[in-house]
Amino acid sequence: MADRSFLAWPFFEDRHRQLADDVETWAGTSLGHIDHDDTDAACRDLVRKLGEAGHLLHTAIDPADASSKLEVRSLCLIRETLARHDGLADFAFAMQGLGTGALSLFGTDAQKQAWLNRTRTGNAISAFALSEPQSGSDVAHMELSATRDGDDYILSGEKTWISNGGIADVYTLFARTGEAAGAKGISAFIVPADTPGLVIAERLEVIAPHPLARLVFDNCRVAASTLVGAPGQGFRIAMSVLDVFRSTVAAAALGFARRALDETVSRANGRHLFGAPMSDLQMVQGHIADMALDIDAAALLVYRAAWLKDNGAERVSREAAMAKLYATDHAQSVIDKAVQIHGGDGVRKGSVVERLYREIRALRIYEGASDVQKIIIARHELARN
């Protein structure tokens, strides 16, 4: 049973504790029979189920409520819980929020009405199209162009490693509109998946199966009304979205790590070596102590960043970067220890810890690789003087 004592920390209110209980109960009864062999079908099914349960309401603002906002602590609690139960369920939930984050923060009323009611109920799947073949971490130098043509823009270029690519109904796309060089010449667009000229050029296979694709925009014409925010604000919009959702990546890593610790404790208590329980071995105890320490330290960083954002901080780039860097890197270490303690069973295909070992690796790359998080942290520290 995963440790839930952290819910008593002062970062949370009673409504957060109730949310954690609700999601835990739902996950325990709804995620035990997910067929992962067909990833596309599984993700569609998970989005539908998450929508029916009301959990996707947290992924975007309510278009009918002017006071509605994204609540990062709730997003983190849901992601941590889902990740502990099923990594694909966490993925399906997270992409609904990331894919529509720009609309929640910067969209017009018409754009919000057109899409958010559908994504918040699981009736449409969203995606966030930022990375390109030559500009993953180096977002400011993306090449996909959006050229103004009367009341339209014409999109030309490629995006790659796009989560939900191939199954999404709508993409938040970032393209170069040329108002200035670098970051100041990028704009954001909302592009329906059935727009002529948008081609799913390649489906991408990775070690933990998720729906991913390379997209080609071949003279793809979109109305100027699909522009999110003002021309040239795309980089700012993308960074604002990541400022909200980067902490939730750390929360997912935390969920993976908690599951790895649970599996390890069960293994150590239930297996005998050299005539005694494995849990009596001091080396095993040392590994478990390290795992527990890393998990609590990560949780403190995750929920500090989320609490700060929810309590009015305009930007939490430094705190979110710390949370993502520490939680994802140390979750990798926690899971590696779990595999080691499980021995041969730890690398058996289909075992829980083997699945966690494959799932965790991507979190150290997407939404800003670990090295990028170090740069963000260092720049904030250097700017103090």
Side-chain angles (χ1 to χ4, degrees):
M1 183 66 177
D3 176 30
R4 290 165 59 82
S5 62
F6 73 98
L7 291 169
W9 291 353
F11 296 122
F12 304 110
E13 302 168 21
D14 286 343
R15 61 189 175 88
H16 296 115
R17 287 180 271 273
Q18 184 61 56
L19 174 63
D21 288 343
D22 292 345
V23 178
E24 178 68 29
T25 300
W26 179 84
T29 58
S30 303
L31 296 180
H33 305 289
I34 302 297
D35 181 5
H36 289 186
D37 290 337
D38 185 338
T39 306
D40 288 359
C43 281
R44 290 189 181 100
D45 187 45
L46 284 163
V47 169
R48 178 184 60 79
K49 288 181 176 179
L50 287 161
E52 290 174 350
H55 301 317
L56 294 181
L57 296 176
H58 296 276
T59 62
I61 66 164
D62 180 355
D65 182 359
S67 65
S68 177
K69 66 177 184 177
L70 291 168
E71 225 260 358
V72 187
R73 284 170 293 177
S74 295
L75 289 166
C76 286
L77 284 170
I78 294 172
R79 286 203 67 178
E80 179 184 333
T81 304
L82 292 177
R84 182 159 43 79
H85 284 271
D86 186 285
L88 202 58
D90 163 65
F91 172 90
F93 173 84
M95 290 306 111
Q96 289 297 92
L98 183 66
T100 58
L103 291 185
S104 287
L105 298 175
F106 297 94
T108 65
D109 289 343
Q111 290 169 340
K112 294 173 185 175
Q113 289 289 345
W115 288 106
L116 296 189
N117 288 326
R118 295 176 62 190
T119 60
R120 293 172 81 241
T121 55
N123 291 308
I125 295 175
S126 66
F128 186 77
L130 184 65
S131 294
E132 297 186 4
Q134 302 301 322
S135 61
S137 298
D138 190 9
V139 174
H141 290 92
M142 67 175 59
E143 296 177 355
L144 189 148
S145 64
T147 305
R148 189 68 185 252
D149 183 28
D151 292 332
D152 298 331
Y153 282 90
I154 298 175
L155 307 173
S156 297
E158 292 188 18
K159 294 291 181 183
T160 194
W161 300 114
I162 305 306
S163 295
N164 279 345
I167 68 169
D169 298 291
V170 62
Y171 295 87
T172 298
L173 174 77
F174 297 86
R176 180 160 300 285
T177 44
E179 288 76 18
K184 295 182 179 180
I186 295 169
S187 299
F189 298 85
I190 190 80
V191 183
D194 59 0
T195 304
L198 167 52
V199 179
I200 309 301
E202 180 184 9
R203 297 300 300 272
L204 304 172
E205 297 288 337
V206 290
I207 57 175
H210 293 150
L212 295 163
R214 178 171 62 89
L215 314 179
V216 171
F217 295 82
D218 184 10
N219 291 312
C220 177
R221 183 178 292 271
V222 296
S225 60
T226 64
L227 186 71
V228 182
Q233 284 190 339
F235 185 84
R236 175 182 166 230
I237 290 171
M239 295 305 107
S240 295
V241 172
L242 294 177
D243 214 40
V244 170
F245 286 95
R246 193 164 273 161
S247 298
T248 78
V249 180
L254 184 57
F256 289 149
R258 288 196 196 277
R259 180 64 181 270
L261 178 57
D262 290 349
E263 296 294 325
T264 300
V265 169
S266 178
R267 174 80 170 189
N269 283 330
R271 184 173 175 82
H272 281 65
L273 288 176
F274 311 113
M278 183 187 285
S279 57
D280 284 355
L281 297 174
Q282 289 186 343
M283 286 296 290
V284 171
Q285 292 177 6
H287 288 319
I288 290 174
D290 288 340
M291 295 163 80
L293 176 61
D294 285 343
I295 287 170
D296 266 23
L300 286 164
L301 288 168
V302 169
Y303 290 109
R304 176 188 70 163
W307 180 87
L308 283 170
K309 188 64 177 176
D310 288 342
N311 280 272
E314 182 177 353
R315 298 298 299 267
V316 292
S317 301
R318 172 182 176 272
E319 292 79 9
M322 285 183 169
K324 184 179 187 296
L325 174 64
Y326 192 93
T328 57
D329 280 5
H330 285 78
Q332 179 93 57
S333 176
V334 166
I335 293 167
D336 187 70
K337 290 182 175 69
V339 170
Q340 192 71 18
I341 291 172
H342 276 75
D345 287 338
V347 293
R348 184 191 297 272
K349 185 176 181 179
S351 72
V352 172
V353 293
E354 183 269 342
R355 173 176 55 79
L356 292 169
Y357 195 82
R358 289 185 289 106
E359 287 277 7
I360 188 57
R361 192 59 185 86
L363 274 65
R364 297 174 61 200
I365 298 173
Y366 74 68
E367 292 189 41
S370 292
D371 289 337
V372 173
Q373 304 312 307
K374 291 180 180 179
I375 292 171
I376 292 170
I377 295 164
R379 285 177 176 172
H380 276 81
E381 296 304 313
L382 292 168
R384 290 177 183 270
N385 298 322

